[in-house]
Amino acid sequence: MSKLNKAFLATTLLISAATAVTACSGAASGIQPEDRVVSAVNEAMTLSRDDLFKKAAEEIGGNELKFVGTSSRFKKAISAFRTELTKYNAECEKMSITEESMVDGQIYEKINGELDAGVKDGYSAFLVQDGYQLQKKGLDYAHYVNYIPKEWKDANDTNKDLNGNPFALQYNMKTWMVNNADGNTTVDNVWDFTGAKFKNKLVTMDPNNENVNMDWLIMLTQDKWCDVLKAAYEDSTNDAKAEINVDDYKDKGEKKKYAYAFIKGFLTNASFFGDDGKARDQMSSKTAAGTAGWIVYSKIASIQETNDVSKKNFTICALGGENTDGTTATSHIKGFGGFMYKHYLQVSPYAKYPYTACAFINFLSTTATGYKAWATDIGDYPTMPSINIDRTKYGHGEFVEEEKDGKTEKVWKQNDSKENVFPALNDPKSSWWEAENGGNVVIEDPAYIAANYAEVKEFIDLYH
């Protein structure tokens, strides 16, 4: 990129909050972000973390910042954030942040209800997910002011185009997995999941009840992923090619027919569950060998070990031998290895404490201390990779005996230098997952999902 283009990009990012606001000023909801908020956010984007924290400490003092998130993990960062602000203002020792978390549907209803009612002392900032609702219930109505931390903008390892507007804290991962307890269940092509082998043996969440799965299916119709599906369909590793006739969907177009054929095959094979934990439980035991799952990656880590149920039963299809010390025989899965959906951090257009809101967002998204709330979870990846911890050998370790409540229990202790006990936990870095020769994951694009939602959902409803 030329110096001129870099300068232009930096300028574009700097004014993104104001641009996003003014572009929606005529929205039906009547939201008009307050000038003081827009001004504060624009200034915050030019300030170093140190200078921003000074401003925030002066602004908030011992008062309460109202914040709400779809992930409850942000609560773990509150105490450390308070400690940072107290360095600049002793009054901040009494500062608090509301510890409110809600599921997708509830959080958008709550935010929109406050903003449409003109509540001026409500939430100052939000942590939200689900690209469709973000676009249709927020961005289209100027319900957010976009803040991009200076440290994030200046970093060499952040993708400004992909994650700058709306500003994303992190990716969360859904990925393909199989129960290979019998040693005979391996998958090296995404089309294999559409074949008779996995009829009623593919567990996942219902896309009509879980927006993330719906968003993923819609993203598959994007030209890029249609091309990926075409290449995988034509590859020799596609065991289901003889069972799936993509030309049955040629009315959708020469590219999109591959996406619609895959969607139909996935839906007709799937068994749907109310949450990913229940889907995981269905495939966790030795007796469930041969079952496949499209599940949030982090759910594997919380499996409680028994003689029958174990993380050892799981193979993450995308990882291949290079990430599992050779214990996974199959090569990387052809097609795509997962879906990265995002957590977004946004400032309220009526924020009572805009500098503090920006400071908290900065703390969560650009410091290892702030992001620690998520850093130990496989399948969670900050959009500023340098603040994450290395989890590439997370399956290494040993069980040790510990005394608890008068009883001796075996407790798992992760240790990079020990044996590779749970290969499914060896989580590569986000750069590997995103690379075409790595996991080659689909990444959420709220604007694309919103623009194509109705058409794809109509098709989904035919087969589910």
Side-chain angles (χ1 to χ4, degrees):
M1 183 182 291
S2 68
K3 290 182 178 179
L4 180 60
N5 285 338
K6 287 181 178 178
F8 175 76
L9 176 60
T11 302
T12 301
L13 288 168
L14 184 61
I15 64 173
S16 64
T19 302
V21 169
T22 56
C24 299
S25 60
S29 68
I31 296 298
Q32 183 60 53
E34 295 184 346
D35 290 343
R36 65 175 184 84
V37 176
V38 175
S39 177
V41 171
N42 279 334
E43 182 185 5
M45 287 199 285
T46 70
L47 298 176
S48 67
R49 186 184 302 119
D50 184 60
D51 288 339
L52 175 59
F53 279 24
K54 287 178 183 176
K55 283 264 191 182
E58 293 171 4
E59 177 187 66
I60 191 74
N63 296 305
E64 180 182 61
L65 176 74
K66 292 185 178 180
F67 184 94
V68 64
T70 49
S71 169
S72 62
R73 295 299 183 90
F74 75 86
K75 301 173 187 179
K76 295 183 177 182
I78 293 173
S79 177
F81 178 64
R82 182 190 302 112
T83 297
E84 288 299 313
L85 292 193
T86 303
K87 295 176 182 177
Y88 304 97
N89 181 356
E91 281 295 306
C92 291
E93 189 174 354
K94 295 180 288 185
M95 184 272 293
S96 62
I97 296 179
T98 53
E99 299 188 12
E100 293 184 76
S101 57
M102 304 175 188
V103 296
D104 295 349
Q106 291 177 338
I107 199 168
Y108 286 107
E109 288 181 10
K110 183 71 173 179
I111 291 170
N112 292 352
E114 275 197 359
L115 296 177
D116 290 338
V119 175
K120 298 301 176 71
D121 62 348
Y123 299 114
S124 283
F126 328 109
L127 189 161
V128 295
Q129 68 177 32
D130 179 12
Y132 175 71
Q133 291 195 82
L134 173 79
Q135 188 71 44
K136 301 299 288 186
K137 296 182 178 181
L139 299 177
D140 286 352
Y141 294 94
H143 281 183
Y144 312 117
V145 180
N146 199 53
Y147 162 68
I148 304 171
K150 186 178 187 300
E151 288 77 12
W152 189 94
K153 177 168 61 69
D154 292 344
N156 294 324
D157 62 346
T158 54
N159 189 323
K160 283 72 173 173
D161 292 329
L162 191 62
N163 298 311
N165 192 3
F167 179 65
L169 164 69
Q170 67 168 352
Y171 299 125
N172 303 92
M173 172 81 85
K174 287 222 171 190
T175 192
W176 301 110
M177 55 192 70
V178 295
N179 182 324
N180 191 30
D182 59 5
N184 298 316
T185 307
T186 57
V187 174
D188 55 7
N189 190 306
V190 293
W191 285 96
D192 294 350
F193 295 113
T194 67
K197 178 181 180 180
F198 288 107
K199 181 68 175 177
N200 298 323
K201 297 185 74 175
L202 173 59
V203 299
T204 189
M205 285 188 70
D206 187 338
N208 283 325
N209 295 331
E210 200 233 11
N211 297 323
V212 169
N213 267 3
M214 183 68 74
D215 291 348
W216 161 62
L217 292 173
I218 292 166
M219 283 300 306
L220 294 182
T221 67
Q222 194 176 46
D223 281 356
K224 172 183 178 180
W225 298 108
C226 290
D227 290 342
V228 167
L229 284 168
K230 179 178 185 292
Y233 180 82
E234 295 173 346
D235 194 87
S236 61
T237 58
N238 179 8
D239 297 335
K241 187 175 182 179
E243 303 174 50
I244 305 293
N245 183 5
V246 294
D247 285 332
D248 289 346
Y249 311 92
K250 61 184 179 182
D251 61 313
K252 302 297 183 182
E254 276 303 305
K255 282 183 179 288
K256 291 186 186 297
K257 68 182 183 182
Y258 292 95
Y260 282 96
F262 181 86
I263 291 170
K264 194 247 181 157
F266 173 83
L267 291 173
T268 54
N269 270 0
S271 296
F272 297 110
F273 291 81
D275 62 59
D276 279 311
K278 291 180 179 178
R280 174 208 62 197
D281 292 344
Q282 181 69 18
M283 63 177 295
S284 296
S285 67
K286 292 178 182 177
T287 54
T291 307
W294 174 252
I295 298 172
V296 169
Y297 187 13
S298 62
K299 293 293 182 181
I300 303 302
S302 57
I303 290 174
Q304 299 300 307
E305 297 292 312
T306 69
N307 290 334
D308 184 48
V309 174
S310 176
K311 292 181 276 292
K312 294 179 182 179
N313 297 336
F314 285 80
T315 294
I316 305 302
C317 300
L319 295 186
E322 71 181 77
N323 296 301
T324 59
D325 305 325
T327 60
T328 300
T330 55
S331 60
H332 298 154
I333 191 168
K334 298 291 182 182
F336 56 90
F339 175 55
M340 283 183 166
Y341 60 101
K342 304 179 189 180
H343 277 150
Y344 302 90
L345 289 164
Q346 297 285 285
V347 178
S348 167
Y350 300 151
K352 185 175 182 180
Y353 300 110
Y355 288 105
T356 310
C358 290
F360 191 48
I361 290 173
N362 184 301
F363 185 66
L364 294 175
S365 62
T366 72
T367 72
T369 303
Y371 190 72
K372 185 179 179 181
W374 293 274
T376 58
D377 289 345
I378 58 172
D380 284 1
Y381 313 92
T383 60
M384 188 173 180
S386 59
I387 65 173
N388 208 9
I389 65 174
D390 187 341
R391 302 189 299 248
T392 54
K393 292 186 179 296
Y394 237 46
H396 292 243
E398 61 183 346
F399 285 96
V400 298
E401 292 187 347
E402 288 187 356
E403 291 289 331
K404 185 177 181 181
D405 298 329
K407 296 180 180 180
T408 300
E409 296 182 355
K410 285 188 175 181
V411 179
W412 169 253
K413 296 291 185 180
Q414 193 279 331
N415 187 326
D416 287 5
S417 66
K418 297 294 183 179
E419 180 185 356
N420 185 15
V421 180
F422 301 121
L425 300 186
N426 291 342
D427 183 12
K429 296 178 180 178
S430 57
S431 56
W432 181 89
W433 280 109
E434 293 180 63
E436 289 185 11
N437 61 345
N440 197 33
V441 293
V442 181
I443 298 178
E444 179 183 63
D445 180 343
Y448 182 85
I449 294 168
N452 295 274
Y453 189 91
E455 179 181 356
V456 183
K457 188 178 186 306
E458 183 180 10
F459 179 84
I460 289 171
D461 289 343
L462 292 176
Y463 299 101
H464 173 54

